[in-house]
Amino acid sequence: MKALVLGGDGFCGWPTSLHLAAEGYAVTIADNLSRRAIAAQLGAPSLTPIRPIEERITAAKRVGDVEFAPLDVTDPVALQALLARLTPDVIVHFAEQRSAPYSMLGDAERRFTVANNVNGTNTLFSALVELGQRPHVVHLGTMGVYGYSDDLGELQEGYLDVRVAQTGRDVTIGYPANPGSIYHLTKCLDHTLMQFYAKNWGFQITDLHQGIVWGTDTAITGSDEALINRFDYDGEYGTVLNRLVSQAAIGHPLTVYGTGGQSRAFIHISDTARCVHLATGAPPEPGSKVQVFNQVAEVHNVGALAQMIADRMEAKVTHLDNPRKEAAANALRVSNAGLRSLGFAPHTLQDSLMDEIAATVGRYQDRLNRDVILSKARW
Ligand code: NAD
Ligand code: USQ
């Protein structure tokens, strides 16, 4: 099986590419390395010393069949040339600007995020139409497309069974989109684009609505320094659990926004790689709507997480004015029945996995730039 991994140099894409290679896929990683460039611009390169892509690929060849293709997914000519050469069986699409705070920094970042993400997804499917190729496309979406609430009960996977008040009829509709940032909005737009490509051209598409990814390495990326995964702790790209543990590890007060009453869904990075692998092997029936799996392991409350980490690591919690427009507190229940039915057995929050983050931060703390810990974005 040939897999094309778009965005395979990133935090989720790199370990997933290696996991797929170890499982026997011939993997082509395509990436324009924009994440590395943005990190340099922000003064917040990966805390871990990720290797230049050439060195990464040389080391990856010890894991399996892996090659690299420099590519901007929004470039239709280059993308079509790559697809024509590869004829992939499956495409995993990670290649988007993925930070909500970055997407809210200002005009340039709002427009870049929409142009890059939505255009990339459209360029991909349009190229496949032109070439007459119909690989299974697995797209990385986000839990944030639903908003974060249990007003409509436990979050089902992409669709909602409702009774229409006017007719009394029972129907299944797409879950109402409720994004909380420009970034999350692009994932809602991607989803609508993909529903159209599935309906009109019969694509088999899986959209993985993933929660907040935490952790550093997987067994494979941790096995060789040259394979080390990226680690972001800064105010724009660091995700909350990794930020809180890294802050505790360097004696910085833990930055809880607002009340800390926010509940969010989480998944460990090694489960990301496993879930994407499970999804690649389970395409929806041809002619069906986009298949949605909620790629999450568990739900946690931000304030409670911070307190738990502070207690374990003898750190202090500080409550900052919330720079985001979001509910001060919310309940959240999420179904992950789809991936569970494929064999997903989630890793939940464990002391050993949090210790791993703290140890990584301790090892590389000379590289940490304290000036970028606080977020500059305001909603
Ligand atoms: P990342 O920024 O580390 O990786 C994304 C990769 O895509 C980068 O290597 C970047 O250079 C590349 N890329 C971006 N635009 C591109 C383009 N136009 N052409 C080619 N390459 C391009 O992000 P990540 O954390 O690995 O996230 C990967 C995907 O998973 C994203 O789509 C994100 O929205 C989704 N996701 C991430 C999380 C999380 O917590 N990290 C949670 C849910 C969903
Ligand atoms: N938060 C804090 N303190 C911090 C950072 C964040 O209290 O220092 C709070 C935020 O206010 C928010 C929650 O923690 O309520 C999560 O923030 P986050 O930055 O960890 O996550 P988010 O911006 O939602 O984005 C991340 C990824 C994104 C992915 C999304 C999944 O960057 O790519 O799509 O998680 S989800 O949140 O489920 O939509």
Side-chain angles (χ1 to χ4, degrees):
M1 289 277 275
K2 288 179 285 183
L4 171 60
V5 183
L6 304 171
D9 186 51
F11 173 59
C12 298
W14 177 244
T16 303
S17 298
L18 295 173
H19 186 78
L20 292 175
E23 293 289 337
Y25 281 79
V27 175
T28 300
I29 290 175
D31 201 297
N32 65 355
L33 309 183
S34 55
R35 177 72 195 94
R36 293 185 188 231
I38 292 173
Q41 280 159 19
L42 294 174
S46 169
L47 181 68
T48 48
I50 55 171
R51 300 298 192 262
I53 189 68
E54 300 76 16
E55 252 181 72
R56 270 192 153 182
I57 299 298
T58 303
K61 288 186 190 300
R62 296 195 281 273
V63 175
D65 184 352
V66 183
E67 66 157 10
F68 176 68
L71 174 84
D72 186 329
V73 178
T74 66
D75 176 345
V77 176
L79 180 60
Q80 281 195 36
L82 181 67
L83 290 168
R85 173 170 76 81
L86 291 176
T87 62
D89 301 298
V90 62
I91 297 177
V92 185
H93 179 19
F94 291 101
E96 303 203 6
Q97 190 302 98
R98 72 101 174 132
S99 157
Y102 184 82
S103 77
M104 300 296 284
L105 276 174
D107 174 61
E109 292 82 6
R110 287 192 291 271
R111 287 185 298 103
F112 170 71
T113 302
V114 173
N116 186 65
N117 295 5
V118 180
N119 206 9
T121 301
N122 188 45
T123 304
L124 170 63
F125 283 100
S126 186
L128 294 169
V129 170
E130 282 307 289
L131 294 167
Q133 294 184 6
R134 292 293 182 277
H136 176 204
V137 180
V138 177
H139 170 263
L140 271 291
T142 177
M143 284 304 297
V145 298
Y146 302 115
Y148 313 98
S149 140
D150 76 348
D151 287 354
L152 301 178
E154 181 185 56
L155 287 177
Q156 302 303 305
E157 304 193 276
Y159 300 91
L160 191 63
D161 297 330
V162 295
R163 179 157 298 166
V164 181
Q166 289 79 359
T167 62
R169 246 187 248 146
D170 292 328
V171 293
T172 300
I173 59 170
Y175 201 95
N178 186 15
S181 73
I182 290 283
Y183 155 72
H184 288 99
L185 169 65
T186 65
K187 297 291 183 178
C188 302
L189 297 171
D190 277 351
H191 186 80
T192 305
L193 272 170
M194 294 191 296
Q195 289 290 9
F196 182 72
Y197 276 96
K199 183 173 74 173
N200 205 64
W201 283 286
F203 280 97
Q204 292 166 284
I205 304 172
T206 300
D207 202 1
L208 297 173
H209 288 174
Q210 185 170 238
I212 300 169
V213 183
W214 67 284
T216 54
D217 281 298
T218 61
I220 298 176
T221 63
S223 69
D224 179 343
E225 271 285 304
L227 297 177
I228 196 165
N229 199 19
R230 69 171 302 113
F231 185 87
D232 298 304
Y233 60 92
D234 61 294
E236 269 54 68
Y237 278 90
T239 49
V240 67
L241 181 48
N242 281 2
R243 272 169 66 69
L244 296 176
V245 177
S246 54
Q247 289 163 357
I250 60 162
H252 189 284
L254 310 195
T255 56
V256 172
Y257 297 164
T259 62
Q262 307 95 314
S263 288
R264 293 291 183 269
F266 290 84
I267 183 166
H268 189 262
I269 184 65
S270 48
D271 279 346
T272 292
R274 286 192 197 96
C275 285
V276 173
H277 175 231
L278 290 172
T280 57
E285 290 299 317
S288 52
K289 289 190 172 186
V290 173
Q291 165 175 261
V292 177
F293 294 138
N294 292 339
Q295 189 161 297
V296 309
E298 58 191 331
V299 170
H300 287 289
N301 169 272
V302 170
L305 268 182
Q307 199 51 58
M308 183 267 293
I309 292 165
D311 292 345
R312 282 192 74 233
M313 298 177 70
E314 294 178 12
K316 285 200 172 58
V317 174
T318 179
H319 286 262
L320 304 176
D321 284 344
N322 196 335
R324 308 183 182 196
K325 285 200 182 94
E326 59 186 3
N330 66 281
L332 188 65
R333 289 174 294 137
V334 183
S335 166
N336 58 5
L339 284 162
R340 278 187 185 273
S341 75
L342 300 176
F344 173 41
H347 285 85
T348 49
L349 201 60
Q350 287 164 29
D351 291 353
S352 60
L353 293 175
M354 282 189 290
D355 291 345
E356 207 175 280
I357 303 173
T360 299
V361 175
R363 196 170 317 131
Y364 299 112
Q365 62 176 305
D366 292 350
R367 293 168 52 91
L368 192 142
N369 177 1
R370 285 179 175 255
D371 295 343
V372 298
I373 291 178
L374 297 182
S375 175
K376 294 169 185 62
R378 296 286 174 276
W379 264 233

